[in-house]
């Protein structure tokens, strides 16, 4: 798609809202905060619900299956640091940083409209988990492993936030470099 | 069979996150990610209840796969939470980013403990 809404790439000087170097874009946009669904982005407000929900469900099944597989291969003993969930959440956060920069700032053409619902909302949302993180934190506290519990809670936060920041920065630099 | 339970839970959980997020945003224009906060808290409450039921002696291994690994795992998300926190900070709302982190973890932990306590009262 090379409609006028996508004009910031071809004609950087002609972008009326050009204060932000990331520019406007058809699917992500510099307005967006929420990668799952952000109603400030007109294209996401108008998403066809049936196909989007099917893509989210299919991606979610894939992501959750991968998480289940990792948990089977790498089970955490009671009272031990839950490394499997830690790496799932850190890697999923790193991947969403790459994905969202590519989608919202990446190319000359708009990505397929189902890429964000399938990969971002579905696969990565289904792969990562906040509920298991909170339950494991709580269980470690109950088991008297306060040190491990706090280390787990803090390292997951630091790892996930550091990963999404680093991956978004590196991807942004790569996109800007390719653009010249 | 076990894997199928996870898939069925996730096929419901992931779209439920998307629809809840959408519904919350339709009502609140705020930049604070209330939608993700809501689904993560709800999933923590449910998974806390499941864990509490198992600790109280309920045989819920299939329910754990269907509702725990599948539904709660797909309903809740860490990747979206991380990215939203980054976006808030990048756009200058550093205080909201910090509030999102602290509130998500503390309210999530509180929801787990509330769910676990409720299940203990029911099954204990």
């Amino acid at each position: 798609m090379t409609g006028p809404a996508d004009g910031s790439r071809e004609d950087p000087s002609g972008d009326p809202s050009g204060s932000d170097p990331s520019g406007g874009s058809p699917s992500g946009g510099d307005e967006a905060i929420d990668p799952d669904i952000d109603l400030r982005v007109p294209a996401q407000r108008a998403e066809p619900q049936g196909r989007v929900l099917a893509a989210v469900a299919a991606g979610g099944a894939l992501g959750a299956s991968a998480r289940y597989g990792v948990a089977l291969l790498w089970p955490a003993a009671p009272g031990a640091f839950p490394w499997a969930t830690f790496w799932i959440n850190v890697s999923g956060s790193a991947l969403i940083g790459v994905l969202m920069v590519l989608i919202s700032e990446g190319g000359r053409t708009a990505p397929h409209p189902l890429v964000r619902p399938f990969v971002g909302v579905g696969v990565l949302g289904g792969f990562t988990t906040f509920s298991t993180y909170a339950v494991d934190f709580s269980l470690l506290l109950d088991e008297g492993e306060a040190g491990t519990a706090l280390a787990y809670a803090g390292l997951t936060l630091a790892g996930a936030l550091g990963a999404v920041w680093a991956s978004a920065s590196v991807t942004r630099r790569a996109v800007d470099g390719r653009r010249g | 069979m076990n894997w199928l339970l996870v898939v069925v839970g996730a096929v419901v959980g992931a779209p439920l996150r998307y629809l809840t997020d959408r519904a919350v945003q339709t009502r609140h224009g705020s930049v604070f990610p209330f939608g993700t906060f809501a689904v993560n808290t709800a999933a923590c409450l449910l998974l806390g209840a499941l864990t509490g039921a198992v600790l109280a002696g309920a045989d819920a291994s299939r329910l754990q796969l269907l509702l725990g690994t599948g539904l709660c795992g797909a309903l809740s998300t860490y990747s979206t939470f991380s990215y939203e926190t980054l976006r808030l900070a990048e756009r200058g709302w550093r205080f909201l980013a910090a509030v999102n982190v602290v509130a998500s973890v503390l309210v999530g932990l509180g929801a787990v403990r509330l769910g676990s306590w409720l299940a203990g009262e029911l099954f204990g």
Side-chain angles (χ1 to χ4, degrees):
Chain A
M1 184 182 108
T2 51
D6 195 33
S8 61
R9 296 290 172 267
E10 281 78 14
D11 182 18
S13 62
D15 184 4
S17 61
S19 56
D20 185 331
S22 63
S25 92
S27 55
D30 57 359
E31 287 294 301
I33 297 284
D34 188 337
D36 281 2
I37 169 76
D38 202 313
L39 296 180
R40 280 178 289 272
V41 180
Q44 292 187 26
R45 240 180 353 249
E47 267 174 357
Q49 291 298 289
R51 285 163 63 209
V52 167
L53 286 176
V56 169
L62 207 63
S65 298
R67 174 165 41 80
Y68 179 53
V70 172
L72 287 179
L73 290 172
W74 201 357
F81 193 100
W83 284 109
T85 311
F86 171 83
W87 284 115
I88 283 169
N89 284 335
V90 171
S91 61
S93 298
L95 290 173
I96 205 165
V98 175
L99 176 78
M100 291 311 292
V101 169
L102 286 180
I103 285 181
S104 57
E105 306 163 26
R108 292 175 176 279
T109 56
H112 191 282
L114 292 180
V115 169
R116 196 198 87 264
F118 179 71
V119 184
V121 190
V123 176
L124 294 179
F127 185 54
T128 62
T129 169
F130 201 91
S131 48
T132 303
Y133 162 77
V135 162
D136 284 345
F137 181 26
S138 177
L139 285 174
L140 285 168
L141 287 173
D142 286 344
E143 284 154 5
E145 304 285 346
T148 309
L150 292 175
Y152 175 59
L155 283 175
T156 301
L157 276 178
L161 294 175
V164 73
W165 172 80
S167 69
S169 305
V170 168
T171 310
R172 205 166 274 151
R173 194 167 296 178
V175 167
D176 288 346
R178 196 182 59 192
R179 203 178 292 144
Chain B
M1 180 62 198
N2 286 349
W3 170 75
L4 204 61
L5 289 170
V6 173
V7 165
V8 169
V11 160
V12 175
L16 195 58
R17 169 161 40 85
Y18 174 85
L19 290 174
T20 306
D21 203 348
R22 208 184 155 94
V24 168
Q25 285 183 38
T26 309
R27 286 159 185 78
H28 292 275
S30 158
V31 294
F32 189 84
F34 282 111
T36 307
F37 182 80
V39 289
N40 278 346
T41 304
C44 285
L45 186 71
L46 180 55
L47 192 61
L50 267 172
T51 310
V54 171
L55 286 175
D59 178 21
S61 58
R62 289 193 163 176
L63 273 183
Q64 272 187 304
L65 289 171
L66 179 72
L67 299 180
T69 311
L71 184 82
C72 291
L75 179 63
S76 71
T77 170
Y78 219 97
S79 49
T80 296
F81 159 75
S82 300
Y83 184 77
E84 284 168 342
T85 306
L86 174 75
R87 288 299 291 154
L88 285 173
E90 278 181 348
R91 298 203 54 201
W93 290 299
R94 293 193 176 190
F95 178 71
L96 284 183
V99 168
N100 189 37
V101 169
V102 173
S104 294
V105 173
L106 291 185
V107 173
L109 182 65
V112 165
R113 300 191 86 89
L114 175 63
S116 182
W117 176 79
L118 286 172
E121 293 289 304
L122 278 172
F123 296 97

